[in-house]
Amino acid sequence: MNDTPSHPLVLFMPSGKRGRFPVGTSVLDAARQLGVYVESVCGGRATCGRCQVSVQEGHFAKHGISSAQDHLSPFGPKEERYDRVRGLPEGRRLSCSTQILGDLVIDVPQDTVVNAQVVRKAADERVFERNPAVRMCYVEVEEPDMHKPLGDLDRLLEALKRDWQFERLDIDVHLLPKVQKILRQGEWKVTAAVHHDRAADSARVIALYPGLKNEAYGIACDIGSTTIAMHLSSLLSGRTVASAGTSNPQIRFGEDLMSRVSYVMMNPDGREAMTAAVRDALNSLIDKVCEQGGVSRTDILDSVFVGNPIMHHLFLGIDPTELGGAPFALAVSGAVELKSSDIGLLMNEGTRTYVLPCIAGHVGADAAAAALSEGPHRQDEMMLLVDIGTNAEIVLGNAARVVAASSPTGPAFEGAEISAGQRAAPGAIERVRIDPVSLEPRFRIIGAEQWSDEPGFAEASTATGITGICGSAIIEVVAEMFLAGIISEDGVIDGALAARSPRILQNGRTFSYLLHDGEPRITVTQNDIRAIQLAKAALYAGVKLLMDKQGVDHVDRIGLAGAFGTFIDPKYAMVLGLIPDCDLEKVKAVGNAAGTGARMCLLNRDYRREIEDTVRRIEKIETALEPKFQEHFVAAMALPNKVDHFPQLSRVVTLPERKQSADATADGGARRRRRSRESGGAVPEV
Ligand code: FES
């Protein structure tokens, strides 16, 4: 197959990039020419060990490549020395010191472990191709010479440009007074941390170390209104070495976003206080991840942040008042790049911060990061991405077109506005089932393995008690009440059932369902159901608006982001009509997708360009301005929906018959309902 024997064919995995190279080309050079990112700190001197690769052996018929170890040059003195001094794992080669002799499939491992770095398994083990914005570049600088008046710094920059192909290179001012000392300390051998996010012609030295500095870190952080999550990753291997979270201290100024905006409006120093609070929390988290990972905070050289628009503004020190009302104007929507020290973050003096762009006044950098992580814009299928909080951020699209909106769901899903609602904590009911015949419930609480009707539950629940209902269970209990016939499709608790079950309690003119008879007594009231209906109708109406914009009547795939999305059962979310009908196999919790997106931007600057470009193309829909929102909202108040069908859900769940009017025959009623849906609600004569 190799028709050009002097130019073997080399395929790099996992990128799949391939090309022919003259025999004798180093593997590192071949990778560079193809744009495959292979780390290198020492510049090919076989001392950093970062450029490791391995050979996949065998015949790869699909690619027409027979790849073998001996298609690489044998171990030379440089590799032997590295192996002797530092140890090279079995099967690994140093790509800078290994030449191509024949056809090859080269694996670029994403887990090059050097310096026995502490590795902690992160919750999200997705591996990304790397191309970080900060690179560590080792150089040997010419010593000063009386006959050449060029300054020490100028010779350093020249060496960096020459060895690392930077066209233009500047240096941070804070390093100027230190350059001479560092050069002499390293005996003219130094490692420069070069920030080159946009292009090689705007590179900047941000840190300088004597000798070979073979490690650099970055943090990726999602600033949520309730919690802040941070990951510390090695920029040189991509590994997450520590993760930590904390609650957002701004909660003391207001539980939800709007109350924080109000706090700013009402208090002269409100903005300053909230900015200081979040930055303090971030500095404590930086301490925490550094301690966990055994990393010095000055070794953190890059950082990426995401958050909803209000968190984003407060973090950057911007007054969010404009986001509190129409037209919800963002002070800045594009990506923000700055020096971390400018916003009071304590890392290295030269550390950079990148903040992802916001999509719209209600759809923030967190939604942009989630979109980057889940990639609706990279696929043909129509994907719905929902992050449910007090404001649901919704993105719908595929490679052809992406639209986004937010819906004011309110805090009901977080347990607020629900009589027995509470945050997810030990003792909270998290799963509910209701027997459709006896109407008796059984449930599970956080902190106990058993269901409430299983042996051992009483003992297991004594420590915590049974304290309330958390968000995931609110969805389940209302959906189960609907499936058991306790509530109608309009969400009304059927008082007639009180004759059949002591679980149905009368409270004046309405009824409630007794979920747990204890201390406290846990009931689901008519008002609770109304609050859930309002919240889910707001979300669904937003989704429907986006579906209208896309001209689709179904979605192919649904990603549920955030903590709430992780805990809710998609089946019950669909029974409730919170999300549109979809193959349940294709409805997935995507975890902290915003955090993953932030980590992608930390480890690969190409993702920054991808999301900047995508956000520019995303069409923003302002739900409040759309005349059809109200119509969709009214239809979505019903369970699961007044007009929309759920054929895929019906395959796995038996949805209750829709109630017929008293005078309709079975057949006539069916025809009438069918036609009423088709005609948008107006019931024609039959
Ligand atoms: S580039 Fe440093 S060892 Fe190969």
Side-chain angles (χ1 to χ4, degrees):
M1 188 69 197
N2 183 4
D3 47 10
T4 326
S6 61
H7 284 71
L9 183 57
V10 183
L11 169 71
F12 285 93
M13 295 305 281
S15 69
K17 290 181 180 157
R18 53 196 278 167
R20 290 190 178 278
F21 299 92
V23 165
T25 307
S26 82
V27 176
L28 183 62
D29 279 348
R32 293 243 166 97
Q33 285 177 41
L34 290 175
V36 175
Y37 190 85
V38 176
E39 192 58 76
S40 158
V41 175
C42 68
R45 290 174 177 82
T47 53
C48 72
R50 290 285 176 189
C51 66
Q52 294 174 31
V53 294
S54 58
V55 172
Q56 285 190 29
E57 294 207 281
H59 182 68
F60 297 82
K62 194 173 126 204
H63 304 290
I65 297 177
S66 285
S67 171
Q69 289 287 358
D70 61 6
H71 290 185
L72 281 181
S73 58
F75 261 52
K78 282 173 154 187
E79 267 181 304
E80 260 165 19
R81 187 196 58 209
Y82 183 86
D83 192 24
R84 202 173 51 244
V85 179
R86 311 294 300 274
L88 207 48
E90 180 77 29
R92 292 283 175 89
R93 301 292 305 267
L94 294 180
S95 63
C96 65
S97 311
T98 306
Q99 284 80 40
I100 296 163
L101 302 180
D103 289 357
L104 284 160
V105 175
I106 296 282
D107 220 10
V108 182
Q110 302 294 320
D111 62 344
T112 307
V113 177
V114 174
N115 298 342
Q117 144 200 329
V118 186
V119 174
R120 181 184 168 278
K121 277 232 176 259
D124 182 343
E125 279 299 299
R126 261 167 74 182
V127 169
F128 314 107
E129 239 186 274
R130 282 180 315 106
N131 185 8
V134 173
R135 297 206 55 186
M136 302 299 279
C137 304
Y138 172 87
V139 277
E140 295 176 0
V141 181
E142 244 182 80
E143 292 190 30
D145 180 337
M146 295 258 276
H147 303 290
K148 290 190 210 153
L150 214 53
D152 286 351
L153 170 64
D154 306 80
R155 269 178 288 107
L156 165 67
L157 294 179
E158 259 189 8
L160 280 165
K161 283 193 219 165
R162 182 191 62 226
D163 288 4
W164 293 89
Q165 289 83 49
F166 292 112
E167 281 168 34
R168 252 197 75 202
L169 196 61
D170 292 315
I171 189 162
D172 268 4
V173 178
H174 76 269
L175 289 172
L176 289 180
K178 301 177 187 161
V179 168
Q180 290 198 305
K181 198 164 162 214
I182 296 171
L183 281 170
R184 282 159 185 80
Q185 222 179 320
E187 294 174 347
W188 305 97
K189 299 177 183 70
V190 291
T191 305
V194 179
H195 180 260
H196 66 137
D197 186 2
R198 300 260 162 208
D201 63 356
S202 64
R204 213 172 168 82
V205 178
I206 59 167
L208 192 65
Y209 304 88
L212 177 72
K213 175 74 176 172
N214 201 3
E215 200 46 278
Y217 293 90
I219 52 168
C221 185
D222 175 16
I223 309 175
S225 31
T226 314
T227 52
I228 306 175
M230 186 180 282
H231 301 288
L232 174 69
S233 300
S234 161
L235 295 178
L236 299 180
S237 74
R239 288 272 184 133
T240 300
V241 295
S243 302
T246 186
S247 58
N248 189 331
Q250 292 174 346
I251 286 176
R252 70 173 181 267
F253 302 101
E255 273 270 331
D256 59 54
L257 290 171
M258 279 310 143
S259 53
R260 289 187 214 168
V261 175
S262 311
Y263 187 87
V264 170
M265 292 163 78
M266 316 284 283
N267 294 277
D269 298 326
R271 203 279 302 150
E272 286 78 0
M274 273 195 274
T275 296
V278 73
R279 290 179 183 172
D280 283 352
L282 291 170
N283 279 324
S284 307
L285 264 186
I286 292 169
D287 270 344
K288 205 161 157 183
V289 289
C290 283
E291 201 184 313
Q292 263 183 39
V295 168
S296 157
R297 62 192 307 152
T298 55
D299 282 348
I300 300 175
L301 297 176
D302 204 4
S303 57
V304 173
F305 291 85
V306 301
N308 63 53
I310 292 167
M311 293 302 100
H312 167 280
H313 276 38
L314 288 171
F315 164 63
L316 289 172
I318 303 169
D319 186 326
T321 304
E322 293 297 330
L323 296 169
F328 309 105
L330 289 153
V332 53
S333 57
V336 174
E337 292 161 41
L338 39 79
K339 277 183 81 170
S340 315
S341 57
D342 287 347
I343 50 170
L345 298 181
L346 308 172
M347 293 177 274
N348 190 295
E349 246 186 298
T351 308
R352 293 306 199 258
T353 287
Y354 175 84
V355 188
L356 269 75
C358 287
I359 297 174
H362 270 328
V363 193
D366 51 349
L372 177 66
S373 164
E374 299 314 306
H377 57 287
R378 290 191 290 263
Q379 54 193 311
D380 294 330
E381 288 186 308
M382 186 58 71
M383 182 183 193
L384 172 67
L385 194 57
V386 195
D387 191 343
I388 304 165
T390 46
N391 239 327
E393 297 180 321
I394 317 165
V395 177
L396 176 71
N398 58 15
R401 187 182 180 203
V402 181
V403 293
S406 79
S407 265
T409 42
F413 293 139
E414 291 174 353
E417 294 179 355
I418 303 295
S419 57
Q422 69 160 93
R423 282 192 190 279
I429 294 175
E430 58 166 350
R431 293 273 172 259
V432 179
R433 299 288 179 273
I434 297 175
D435 186 301
V437 179
S438 66
L439 305 187
E440 281 303 301
R442 56 197 195 98
F443 53 80
R444 268 178 60 174
I445 59 166
I446 298 176
E449 283 295 301
Q450 302 87 341
W451 283 82
S452 57
D453 58 347
E454 287 175 352
F457 176 78
E459 298 79 58
S461 60
T462 20
T464 56
I466 300 162
T467 49
I469 313 175
C470 75
S472 61
I474 289 166
I475 303 282
E476 284 192 17
V477 73
V478 178
E480 280 278 315
M481 285 169 77
F482 173 58
L483 292 176
I486 298 170
I487 51 176
S488 66
E489 66 169 353
D490 296 322
V492 178
I493 298 177
D494 184 355
L497 292 173
R500 216 179 95 194
S501 166
R503 296 273 168 188
I504 310 296
L505 309 175
Q506 184 157 12
N507 325 94
R509 285 166 51 201
T510 62
F511 292 85
S512 57
Y513 178 73
L514 179 62
L515 184 55
H516 174 61
D517 196 5
E519 189 47 54
R521 206 166 194 233
I522 298 170
T523 58
V524 181
T525 66
Q526 188 61 63
N527 276 345
D528 295 341
I529 292 171
R530 278 282 170 266
I532 290 296
Q533 280 178 290
L534 290 167
K536 75 103 182 175
L539 174 61
Y540 193 88
V543 171
K544 279 288 283 186
L545 274 183
L546 295 190
M547 288 169 73
D548 290 350
K549 291 286 167 192
Q550 290 279 15
V552 296
D553 61 3
H554 74 283
V555 300
D556 301 317
R557 185 174 286 281
I558 300 177
L560 300 169
F564 188 70
T566 304
F567 295 111
I568 57 172
D569 183 331
K571 185 177 81 182
Y572 287 107
M574 218 178 272
V575 169
L576 204 64
L578 183 77
I579 49 175
D581 189 51
C582 183
D583 177 355
L584 276 171
E585 287 289 305
K586 291 191 164 183
V587 185
K588 294 265 179 301
V590 294
N592 182 9
T596 304
R599 209 154 61 78
M600 289 166 77
C601 288
L602 176 70
L603 297 178
N604 192 329
R605 60 197 173 115
D606 298 337
Y607 287 127
R608 302 183 184 186
R609 305 298 89 79
E610 180 181 327
I611 196 56
E612 287 162 11
D613 180 57
T614 305
V615 166
R616 264 192 294 274
R617 289 188 295 116
I618 290 179
E619 294 165 53
K620 295 90 182 164
I621 313 295
E622 183 50 66
T623 46
L625 301 177
E626 294 288 329
K628 282 204 85 177
F629 183 83
Q630 197 56 25
E631 189 183 314
H632 289 319
F633 181 86
V634 171
M637 279 295 284
L639 302 176
N641 194 285
K642 201 83 181 167
V643 292
D644 287 344
H645 295 281
F646 286 73
Q648 310 223 48
L649 176 65
S650 302
R651 265 182 234 139
V652 284
V653 178
T654 311
L655 291 172
E657 285 282 307
R658 286 190 174 169
K659 291 241 162 67
Q660 296 173 14
S661 59
D663 62 344
T665 61
D667 178 47
R671 277 165 61 201
R672 181 185 280 197
R673 284 195 308 280
R674 214 162 33 240
R675 290 181 60 182
S676 75
R677 274 178 224 135
E678 283 156 9
S679 59
V683 183
E685 288 304 314
V686 282

